[in-house]
Amino acid sequence: MQQDMIVILDLGSEQNAQIAREIRALGVYTEIHPHDITAEQLAALPSVRGIILNGGKNRVVDGVSIDASDAVYQSGLPLLAVDHSGKAEGGLERWPEEDTQRKETLSHFVFERCKASANWNMQNFIADQVELIRRQVGDRKVLLALSGGVDSSVVAALLIKAVGDQLTCVHVNHGLLRLGEPEQVVEVFREQLQANLIYVDAADRFLQKLEGVADPEQKRKIIGAEFIRVFEEEARKLEGIRLLAQGTIYPDIVESGTKTAKMVKSHHNVGGLPEDMDFELIEPLKMLFKDEVRACGVELGLPEGMVYRQPFPGPGLGVRCLGAITRERLEMVRHSDAILREEIAKAGLDKSIWQYFTVVPDFQSVGVRENARCFEYPVILRAVNTIDAMTAEVPSLDWAVLRRITNRILAEVPGINRVCYDLSPKPPATIEWE
């Protein structure tokens, strides 16, 4: 069943994601597109019932106040102006800032003016994506970048449902994975799900490329580019594969920058992709928020432990070993992270905290070990709760739990003499440190 769609045009608002979520909460699908969408691009979108012109403080780009194209105003579709001027005159509704009134105005626009049906649900989303994937793939074969995380796992399930044995999954161990993770990925996907899985141990290759690189953006781009190189090599071995599937989700795209919003950080699967990439991309989750991805995984029948596992960035521990990566500090991150995850689970908090991990920065502090002065590294504990990864709050962990984690890290991880707990929400901080 084709889902009705409300299109949000980004004219400099910082609330695109919020509005999209409010519309989806009404049971209506929405997508966010650039302000300068063309008539052809608009016509290519299925079942569009209305357009929201979403202006904001970033509406002035390079000294010019941007506006939607004439094609939008001439489309004949109902339009809703939010903090917008320009051609948004006569017959266009504006909604108030007060929460209840705004939602009422939005509901009126969606259902009364646009006559949209509340048919946005995961069952319909999956059916649509399966159809779109089959249409894009045809009789070709697909290569999936399978990290084993939630996003790529859901993409794998979608592709298996859509194209079956036309899918080949490639799991690359770049040396930046958590303790025991490569083995777990192979066990779940090859043994339990019977996926066609290729395992590539490229740890030394990635770490050599990253040697001496301290800038986080450069690290992300190196990791993203090297991933593609590895996949290209594997594709050449399989012959004829030109389709690459990725677990890109909407927050990845937002944080990597838009035409009206500055980049927060480039994600390896967005801003880190090389320009000469020899693949056509399949990204069925790119318009979903994290909680929607999990709901999709549940609907697809993936195991709960896989769907609700800890989020893990594409660059892995590379963005948690701050500054230039060394093998020594990488092992500190890996083992302190394993201790944190073990103790959080023992305390029964693994289902109530959205994400938790450790970070090791590239500086040392003075300490005392065996009655002598020492210079060793700190470990930073990070825990956050969030719905969509666009904002996040820090949970108050019990002091006894923090003390156990601290004592174990100090005793079991060589080279660590200090443990800190990061209390910073997003914004102004981000969830990850790099």
Side-chain angles (χ1 to χ4, degrees), residues 22 26 95 98-108:
E22 289 181 346
L26 294 172
W95 61 6
E98 199 278 321
D99 190 62
T100 301
Q101 292 181 356
R102 187 184 75 248
K103 289 182 178 180
E104 288 176 355
T105 300
L106 182 58
S107 178
H108 175 77

Side-chain angles (χ1 to χ4, degrees), residues 94-304:
R94 293 178 181 273
W95 61 6
E97 289 302 314
E98 199 278 321
D99 190 62
T100 301
Q101 292 181 356
R102 187 184 75 248
K103 289 182 178 180
E104 288 176 355
T105 300
L106 182 58
S107 178
H108 175 77
F109 174 74
V110 169
F111 295 117
E112 301 302 323
R113 292 201 58 213
C114 299
K115 308 299 182 186
S117 298
N119 54 10
W120 159 244
N121 57 58
M122 277 304 144
Q123 187 175 5
N124 287 342
F125 172 81
I126 290 169
D128 285 349
Q129 289 304 317
V130 165
E131 180 183 345
L132 290 171
I133 290 169
R134 286 173 178 165
R135 191 182 306 165
Q136 181 179 1
V137 173
D139 59 358
R140 295 183 291 173
K141 294 183 178 180
V142 184
L143 200 61
L144 169 64
L146 178 60
S147 69
V150 177
D151 305 332
S152 64
S153 297
V154 174
V155 171
L158 267 175
L159 285 166
I160 289 170
K161 186 177 181 68
V163 297
D165 59 9
Q166 291 172 250
L167 170 67
T168 297
C169 300
V170 178
H171 176 60
V172 177
N173 179 4
H174 50 23
L176 306 171
L177 296 171
R178 291 172 289 200
L179 190 65
E181 197 151 41
E183 296 82 2
Q184 181 186 37
V185 169
V186 171
E187 166 63 24
V188 170
F189 285 91
R190 182 180 288 167
E191 305 303 328
Q192 297 181 26
L193 299 182
Q194 288 78 49
N196 181 15
L197 175 66
I198 296 173
Y199 171 75
V200 182
D201 186 350
D204 288 340
R205 172 175 172 173
F206 274 81
L207 293 178
Q208 286 171 6
K209 289 275 187 179
L210 291 165
E211 187 173 350
V213 178
D215 180 74
E217 282 304 302
Q218 190 178 356
K219 285 198 289 187
R220 288 175 179 273
K221 291 181 186 300
I222 288 171
I223 293 168
E226 201 62 18
F227 259 121
I228 297 301
R229 299 287 89 95
V230 173
F231 292 134
E232 286 175 340
E233 291 169 12
E234 295 303 319
R236 283 194 289 271
K237 294 177 186 176
L238 298 168
E239 297 185 1
I241 293 184
R242 292 293 177 267
L243 293 171
L244 174 65
Q246 293 193 139
T248 306
I249 65 175
Y250 188 63
D252 297 343
I253 297 172
V254 172
E255 291 189 336
S256 294
T258 66
K259 293 181 179 180
T260 62
K262 294 182 179 179
M263 178 185 70
V264 177
K265 58 186 177 186
S266 65
H267 288 256
H268 80 286
N269 53 342
V270 183
L273 296 176
E275 294 182 1
D276 61 343
M277 183 183 70
D278 191 25
F279 284 114
E280 177 185 337
L281 292 179
I282 298 177
E283 299 174 304
L285 307 181
K286 67 181 180 180
M287 298 306 292
L288 293 190
F289 297 97
K290 195 71 176 189
D291 59 315
E292 294 171 334
V293 174
R294 295 189 193 280
C296 185
V298 170
E299 184 67 30
L300 286 164
L302 289 175
E304 180 178 319

Side-chain angles (χ1 to χ4, degrees), residues 390-401:
M390 301 301 294
T391 62
E393 296 296 332
V394 178
S396 299
L397 292 186
D398 185 79
W399 182 251
V401 175

Side-chain angles (χ1 to χ4, degrees), residues 17 68 140 154 180 320 325 329 339 365 396 425:
R140 295 183 291 173
V154 174
R320 295 175 182 174
I325 297 170
R329 283 194 300 113
I339 291 170
S365 66
S396 299

